[in-house]
Each structure stands twice: as C-alpha cells, then as structure tokens.
Amino acid sequence: MLSIYAASFYGCGKKEWSDSHNNEAGLPEIVIGSDNYPPYNYVDTDGNATGIDVELATEAFKRMGYKARFIYIDWEDKKNLLADRTIDCAWGSFSMDGRENEYRWAGPYMTSRQVVAVNMESDIYSLEDLEGKTIAVQTTTRPEKIFLSKTDERIPAIRSLIALQKRELIYPFLSKGYADALAAHETAIRQYMEDYNIKFRILDEPLETVGLGVAFDKNDDRGIEKQLTEILNQMRNDGTEKKIISRYIPDADKYLEVDSYGK
C-alpha cells in the first residue's frame, strides 16, 4: 500500500479532504480535524481521505447518526480550532497520556508504542546511547514532551531536539543525517519504511506505550465524547475495529489491548 501525500497538504490554512466514504445524505455533519499521518490518516490515489482513523471515525459516527467530514489542519492549531468550533474533534493517532485534563476524550480506542528509530548503520542501540545526539520529532507530540521534560531517567542529556511542524519531515531529517534519531509512533515509522522502501532500525525499548483517543474541547458539553466512547467499545467487541486495523497493519490484536492499558 503506497500512501500518497497530496500537494495541497503543504499549503497554508485548512484543507478539506474529499472522502468517498461519506455519502449518507441528510445526516448532520461532524467535522474532524487531522493531519497527514499514514497509516492513520492520509489521501489515497483517488484523492479520498483514508487510513485507520478515517475508517474508524466514518463507521463510528455513522452508527451515531452523523456524517463524518474530514479537514486537514495544522496539528499545532488543534486546541484553538476546537475552542472556536471550526472542528468538532481532533482525531489523528492522538495520544491521551499526559493530556487527560486538556480535552474531553473519547477512548482509548487502541494503543500505540512511541519509539526511537535510527539509521541502520547507527551506533545507537539503546535509549542510553542517545547521549549527546540530535533527535527529530514533530511539534506538540508526546516524544517532544518526553525529551523536553527531562523526567525520564532512562533518557540521557541529548545535544539538541529538532521539532518539526510536519510529521513527514522527520524521516528525511534522519535519513539525510540532520538528526541522529527520530521519535514517533511505531506504526507510522513502519508505514513510512514500507511506502518508501527505506530501512530504519527501531530501538527495542520504547519511550512509552500510549492510549490513542479522540479529543473534544474542554468546554464542549454536548456529551458526544461519551457516546463515541461507547460506540468505539462496541466496535471493538463486535470485531469491527480489528477488521479495519488489519487492513493497514499486522497483529491488530496487540493494538486493541485497551482494557489492560494503564493498569
């Protein structure tokens, strides 16, 4: 499966994604803000939004009586866009951990490992080996917070942290040697390697395992997040989540162990 990065993604402002999934005439719309992050959210060769989160959102909101409409946003702006109701929710491989009190959450609907990846010839084999190195991350993500907080005793003092607005830029920063390592969701790194036939080495020890959720504004009192949580649980129990996730990544079951997550 080749993920196609549409040129319009690199423009300014918000871009609407054409989505062939959404043909439920007459249903009220839910506007979902996300960015380009295969295999969770991306544009296929026909210009339609697709990916794990896109399919999950389309099915979940359909069951709730809504039509999902996806727009591309600058991920840094998500909190403001939620507050002014430009978008109803932010859904895009979004880690709940450490942000529990910043939003109203639906989920977690699956888990994901935040990991560090390096070039194949790198001499970095553990988190300890990151001492004095340069790491590339996306801004406002969990990896950025982990490295900036300096509270994880496993992580030594690094030389510098390169925080990039576009997630897809962290990969060429590593492959071209501008960074010694990158940190992101393991599933996204593996998808990039498959799409572009490039090999990185993922460190065995993860930065953390996180729960993925759907964020609503803190002051959004419509209760949609509670209903959505119930529907996502229903989709997990009836096998729909596994069926969708399996279309994009292997071993779907290990990403659905949310009942034991955090325990």
Side-chain angles (χ1 to χ4, degrees):
M1 179 187 68
L2 176 63
S3 304
I4 305 298
Y5 299 93
S8 64
F9 274 13
Y10 301 103
C12 299
K14 299 175 290 295
K15 304 289 183 180
E16 184 166 351
W17 293 357
S18 169
D19 184 12
S20 61
H21 298 295
N22 292 338
N23 54 9
E24 299 86 10
L27 294 179
E29 284 189 337
I30 286 285
V31 180
I32 303 166
S34 192
D35 61 352
N36 187 34
Y37 201 28
Y40 295 96
N41 308 73
Y42 63 97
V43 172
D44 65 17
T45 53
D46 296 320
N48 296 316
T50 192
I52 294 170
D53 286 345
V54 172
E55 289 203 40
L56 289 175
T58 300
E59 175 63 22
F61 282 123
K62 182 179 178 180
R63 294 187 186 192
M64 292 169 61
Y66 294 100
K67 180 174 71 172
R69 180 163 66 91
F70 301 86
I71 63 172
Y72 170 73
I73 64 172
D74 288 330
W75 196 243
E76 289 180 327
D77 296 336
K78 57 189 175 295
K79 185 169 286 189
N80 291 332
L81 296 174
L82 286 169
D84 66 18
R85 294 293 175 89
T86 299
I87 59 175
D88 291 294
C89 62
W91 194 333
S93 186
F94 197 6
S95 304
M96 298 172 64
D97 300 59
R99 304 185 178 101
E100 290 86 352
N101 297 322
E102 294 183 35
Y103 304 92
R104 292 179 184 259
W105 287 100
Y109 60 92
M110 60 186 291
T111 62
S112 179
R113 295 197 332 153
Q114 298 277 12
V115 298
V116 173
V118 298
N119 288 316
M120 295 299 294
E121 67 277 9
S122 173
D123 60 358
I124 299 171
Y125 288 91
S126 67
L127 296 180
E128 185 180 20
D129 293 336
L130 294 174
E131 184 173 3
K133 305 298 186 182
T134 297
I135 319 298
V137 298
Q138 187 193 15
T139 57
T140 74
T141 59
R142 283 294 296 169
E144 180 188 39
K145 186 173 183 178
I146 290 170
F147 282 104
L148 289 178
S149 66
K150 302 178 182 179
T151 56
D152 190 331
E153 295 180 354
R154 301 171 303 156
I155 300 173
I158 64 174
R159 179 172 60 194
S160 61
L161 187 69
I162 301 174
L164 299 162
Q165 185 179 31
K166 303 294 184 182
R167 302 188 202 212
E168 57 268 25
L169 294 180
I170 64 178
Y171 305 107
F173 263 68
L174 174 58
S175 60
K176 293 182 180 298
Y178 302 133
D180 300 299
L182 64 81
H185 286 285
E186 181 178 17
T187 46
I189 297 171
R190 294 192 182 280
Q191 186 66 59
Y192 184 89
M193 290 193 290
E194 178 182 337
D195 289 348
Y196 291 94
N197 193 28
I198 189 171
K199 291 185 178 180
F200 298 128
R201 177 163 43 80
I202 296 174
L203 303 191
D204 292 334
E205 185 179 10
L207 288 172
E208 65 177 357
T209 299
V210 297
L212 303 183
V214 185
F216 292 77
D217 182 65
K218 189 72 173 176
N219 296 315
D220 188 337
D221 59 1
R222 294 175 292 175
I224 299 176
E225 81 286 355
K226 296 178 181 178
Q227 185 181 1
L228 180 57
T229 296
E230 294 176 0
I231 293 297
L232 289 170
N233 289 339
Q234 178 189 101
M235 289 170 59
R236 187 166 61 257
N237 292 332
D238 67 21
T240 303
E241 276 200 5
K242 180 178 178 179
K243 182 178 179 181
I244 290 173
I245 294 170
S246 295
R247 287 200 278 265
Y248 297 90
I249 52 179
D251 302 322
D253 285 328
K254 73 179 184 180
Y255 300 101
L256 291 172
E257 297 174 352
V258 298
D259 291 335
S260 59
Y261 169 72
K263 295 180 181 179

